[in-house]
Amino acid sequence: MNLLHSISKTRHFNEDESVFQIGQPATHIFQVITGEVHLSRHSGEGQRVLLFRAYAGDYFAEASLNSSTYHCTAVAKTLSSIRLFNADEVRLLLQENSEFAMAWISRLSTELRRQRASVERLNLKPAADRVIHYLLTEGQPMGEVELTGTLSELSEILGMSRETLYRTLAQMQKSGSIERIGNKLRIIQG
Protein backbone atom coordinates (compact mmCIF):
# COMPACT_ATOMS: atom_id res chain seq x y z
CA MET A 1 0.00 0.00 0.00
CA ASN A 2 3.07 2.25 -0.14
CA LEU A 3 2.03 3.22 -3.66
CA LEU A 4 -1.27 4.44 -2.25
CA HIS A 5 0.48 6.47 0.43
CA SER A 6 2.63 8.13 -2.22
CA ILE A 7 -0.48 9.81 -3.68
CA SER A 8 -1.93 10.87 -0.33
CA LYS A 9 -2.00 14.11 1.55
CA THR A 10 -2.46 14.47 5.29
CA ARG A 11 -4.91 16.74 7.01
CA HIS A 12 -5.56 17.36 10.70
CA PHE A 13 -9.11 17.54 12.07
CA ASN A 14 -10.22 18.99 15.38
CA GLU A 15 -12.55 17.15 17.75
CA ASP A 16 -16.12 17.13 16.33
CA GLU A 17 -14.94 18.54 12.98
CA SER A 18 -16.66 17.17 9.90
CA VAL A 19 -14.52 15.17 7.47
CA PHE A 20 -17.42 15.06 4.98
CA GLN A 21 -21.20 15.33 4.99
CA ILE A 22 -23.84 13.06 3.51
CA GLY A 23 -24.66 14.14 -0.04
CA GLN A 24 -21.36 15.90 -0.71
CA PRO A 25 -19.45 14.87 -3.85
CA ALA A 26 -17.40 11.74 -3.11
CA THR A 27 -13.94 12.94 -4.04
CA HIS A 28 -11.69 11.04 -1.61
CA ILE A 29 -11.20 7.92 0.44
CA PHE A 30 -9.51 8.23 3.82
CA GLN A 31 -7.27 6.50 6.35
CA VAL A 32 -6.99 7.42 10.01
CA ILE A 33 -3.37 7.97 11.06
CA THR A 34 -4.18 9.02 14.63
CA GLY A 35 -7.48 9.69 16.34
CA GLU A 36 -10.98 8.39 15.78
CA VAL A 37 -13.65 9.08 13.16
CA HIS A 38 -17.33 8.11 13.33
CA LEU A 39 -19.41 7.48 10.22
CA SER A 40 -23.13 7.91 10.78
CA ARG A 41 -26.54 8.65 9.26
CA HIS A 42 -29.82 9.71 10.76
CA SER A 43 -32.86 7.45 10.88
CA GLY A 44 -36.28 8.52 9.65
CA GLU A 45 -37.05 9.47 13.26
CA GLY A 46 -33.97 11.69 13.38
CA GLN A 47 -31.84 9.44 15.58
CA ARG A 48 -28.14 9.16 14.82
CA VAL A 49 -27.16 5.69 13.62
CA LEU A 50 -23.47 4.87 13.99
CA LEU A 51 -22.25 2.90 10.97
CA PHE A 52 -18.53 2.59 11.66
CA ARG A 53 -15.81 3.71 14.06
CA ALA A 54 -12.48 4.22 12.31
CA TYR A 55 -9.32 4.09 14.41
CA ALA A 56 -5.61 4.40 13.56
CA GLY A 57 -4.88 2.37 10.43
CA ASP A 58 -8.52 2.04 9.35
CA TYR A 59 -9.64 3.18 5.91
CA PHE A 60 -13.10 4.63 5.43
CA ALA A 61 -15.35 5.85 2.61
CA GLU A 62 -13.95 3.19 0.25
CA ALA A 63 -17.42 2.95 -1.30
CA SER A 64 -16.88 6.46 -2.68
CA LEU A 65 -14.86 4.81 -5.43
CA ASN A 66 -18.20 3.66 -6.87
CA SER A 67 -20.39 6.59 -5.92
CA SER A 68 -20.79 10.21 -6.89
CA THR A 69 -21.77 11.31 -3.36
CA TYR A 70 -21.05 10.26 0.22
CA HIS A 71 -23.85 8.17 1.74
CA CYS A 72 -23.07 9.11 5.34
CA THR A 73 -21.39 11.78 7.44
CA ALA A 74 -17.89 11.40 8.88
CA VAL A 75 -16.86 13.34 11.99
CA ALA A 76 -13.55 13.31 13.87
CA LYS A 77 -14.41 12.37 17.46
CA THR A 78 -10.96 13.30 18.72
CA LEU A 79 -8.11 15.39 17.38
CA SER A 80 -7.25 13.30 14.31
CA SER A 81 -4.68 13.07 11.52
CA ILE A 82 -6.15 11.60 8.37
CA ARG A 83 -4.70 10.61 4.98
CA LEU A 84 -6.79 11.70 2.02
CA PHE A 85 -6.60 9.81 -1.28
CA ASN A 86 -8.11 11.35 -4.39
CA ALA A 87 -10.75 8.87 -5.62
CA ASP A 88 -9.91 9.45 -9.31
CA GLU A 89 -6.22 8.67 -8.67
CA VAL A 90 -7.11 5.51 -6.72
CA ARG A 91 -9.40 4.32 -9.53
CA LEU A 92 -6.58 4.93 -12.01
CA LEU A 93 -4.16 2.91 -9.86
CA LEU A 94 -6.66 0.06 -9.67
CA GLN A 95 -7.05 0.05 -13.46
CA GLU A 96 -3.38 0.34 -14.34
CA ASN A 97 -1.52 -1.55 -11.61
CA SER A 98 -2.56 -5.17 -11.09
CA GLU A 99 -0.24 -5.62 -8.09
CA PHE A 100 -1.86 -2.65 -6.36
CA ALA A 101 -5.34 -3.91 -7.35
CA MET A 102 -4.63 -7.31 -5.78
CA ALA A 103 -3.32 -5.69 -2.58
CA TRP A 104 -6.46 -3.51 -2.44
CA ILE A 105 -8.71 -6.56 -2.94
CA SER A 106 -6.84 -8.38 -0.17
CA ARG A 107 -7.30 -5.43 2.20
CA LEU A 108 -11.01 -5.17 1.39
CA SER A 109 -11.42 -8.94 1.84
CA THR A 110 -9.84 -8.73 5.30
CA GLU A 111 -12.14 -5.85 6.23
CA LEU A 112 -15.18 -7.74 4.92
CA ARG A 113 -14.25 -10.74 7.09
CA ARG A 114 -13.90 -8.47 10.13
CA GLN A 115 -17.27 -6.84 9.49
CA ARG A 116 -19.02 -10.18 9.03
CA ALA A 117 -17.50 -11.47 12.27
CA SER A 118 -18.65 -8.27 14.00
CA VAL A 119 -22.25 -8.74 12.82
CA GLU A 120 -22.18 -12.39 13.88
CA ARG A 121 -20.76 -11.43 17.29
CA LEU A 122 -23.38 -8.73 17.90
CA ASN A 123 -26.11 -11.34 17.34
CA LEU A 124 -24.81 -13.43 20.26
CA LYS A 125 -26.84 -12.80 23.41
CA PRO A 126 -24.61 -13.78 26.36
CA ALA A 127 -21.83 -11.25 26.95
CA ALA A 128 -19.32 -14.05 27.62
CA ASP A 129 -20.10 -15.56 24.20
CA ARG A 130 -19.28 -12.20 22.58
CA VAL A 131 -15.95 -12.04 24.41
CA ILE A 132 -15.01 -15.59 23.36
CA HIS A 133 -16.10 -14.92 19.77
CA TYR A 134 -13.98 -11.74 19.70
CA LEU A 135 -10.91 -13.56 21.02
CA LEU A 136 -11.31 -16.36 18.47
CA THR A 137 -12.01 -14.15 15.42
CA GLU A 138 -9.75 -11.17 16.11
CA GLY A 139 -6.88 -12.80 17.97
CA GLN A 140 -4.16 -15.33 17.48
CA PRO A 141 -5.29 -18.84 16.49
CA MET A 142 -5.50 -19.96 20.11
CA GLY A 143 -7.72 -17.04 21.15
CA GLU A 144 -5.33 -14.38 22.41
CA VAL A 145 -5.75 -10.66 21.74
CA GLU A 146 -3.43 -7.83 22.68
CA LEU A 147 -5.73 -4.86 23.23
CA THR A 148 -4.55 -1.68 21.55
CA GLY A 149 -7.32 0.46 22.97
CA THR A 150 -9.15 0.76 26.26
CA LEU A 151 -11.70 -1.62 27.76
CA SER A 152 -14.27 1.13 27.09
CA GLU A 153 -13.45 0.90 23.37
CA LEU A 154 -13.68 -2.89 23.54
CA SER A 155 -17.13 -2.61 25.16
CA GLU A 156 -18.27 -0.48 22.20
CA ILE A 157 -16.86 -3.01 19.73
CA LEU A 158 -18.69 -5.80 21.57
CA GLY A 159 -21.94 -3.81 21.75
CA MET A 160 -22.25 -3.81 25.53
CA SER A 161 -21.90 -1.32 28.35
CA ARG A 162 -18.54 -0.89 30.06
CA GLU A 163 -20.02 -2.20 33.28
CA THR A 164 -21.28 -5.36 31.58
CA LEU A 165 -17.87 -5.96 30.01
CA TYR A 166 -16.01 -5.41 33.30
CA ARG A 167 -18.38 -7.74 35.15
CA THR A 168 -18.20 -10.37 32.38
CA LEU A 169 -14.39 -10.32 32.25
CA ALA A 170 -14.19 -10.64 36.05
CA GLN A 171 -16.60 -13.62 36.00
CA MET A 172 -14.72 -15.27 33.13
CA GLN A 173 -11.38 -14.82 34.91
CA LYS A 174 -12.82 -16.20 38.15
CA SER A 175 -14.25 -19.25 36.35
CA GLY A 176 -10.92 -19.85 34.62
CA SER A 177 -12.21 -19.49 31.04
CA ILE A 178 -9.98 -16.51 30.22
CA GLU A 179 -6.77 -14.98 31.47
CA ARG A 180 -5.96 -11.28 31.52
CA ILE A 181 -2.35 -10.19 31.81
CA GLY A 182 -1.75 -6.49 31.25
CA ASN A 183 -3.38 -5.61 27.94
CA LYS A 184 -3.65 -9.24 26.78
CA LEU A 185 -6.78 -11.36 26.94
CA ARG A 186 -6.46 -15.10 26.30
CA ILE A 187 -8.76 -18.08 26.30
CA ILE A 188 -7.56 -20.73 28.72
CA GLN A 189 -7.60 -24.06 26.94
CA GLY A 190 -9.28 -26.67 29.09
Side-chain angles (χ1 to χ4, degrees), residues 4-13 27-31 33 81-86 89:
L4 187 60
H5 290 181
S6 72
I7 65 164
S8 70
K9 58 184 175 183
T10 301
R11 185 162 163 225
H12 304 284
F13 291 84
T27 56
H28 291 84
I29 62 172
F30 306 86
Q31 182 186 33
I33 301 169
S81 294
I82 300 173
R83 281 192 185 97
L84 288 74
F85 308 94
N86 180 284
E89 291 181 41

Side-chain angles (χ1 to χ4, degrees), residues 91-105:
R91 279 190 287 273
L92 189 60
L93 272 175
L94 288 166
Q95 292 168 356
E96 295 181 351
N97 187 317
S98 62
E99 187 176 324
F100 171 76
M102 291 307 297
W104 186 253
I105 288 169

Side-chain angles (χ1 to χ4, degrees), residues 151-162:
L151 285 179
S152 292
E153 290 171 339
L154 179 59
S155 71
E156 291 177 353
I157 291 167
L158 296 176
M160 62 181 75
S161 70
R162 287 179 302 202

Side-chain angles (χ1 to χ4, degrees), residues 33 37 52 90 173 180:
I33 301 169
V37 176
F52 182 63
V90 174
Q173 283 179 272
R180 184 173 168 208

Side-chain angles (χ1 to χ4, degrees), residues 127-189:
D129 288 356
R130 289 185 187 190
V131 170
I132 294 295
H133 186 278
Y134 179 79
L135 294 174
L136 289 172
T137 60
E138 301 301 323
Q140 302 299 321
M142 298 307 291
E144 180 178 309
V145 170
E146 185 166 351
L147 300 175
T148 56
T150 65
L151 285 179
S152 292
E153 290 171 339
L154 179 59
S155 71
E156 291 177 353
I157 291 167
L158 296 176
M160 62 181 75
S161 70
R162 287 179 302 202
E163 295 77 14
T164 299
L165 177 61
Y166 299 155
R167 188 172 46 253
T168 300
L169 291 177
Q171 290 169 349
M172 294 175 80
Q173 283 179 272
K174 186 176 179 181
S175 73
S177 59
I178 66 164
E179 177 178 58
R180 184 173 168 208
I181 302 171
N183 62 344
K184 288 186 181 179
L185 288 176
R186 181 173 68 89
I187 296 172
I188 297 176
Q189 305 300 320

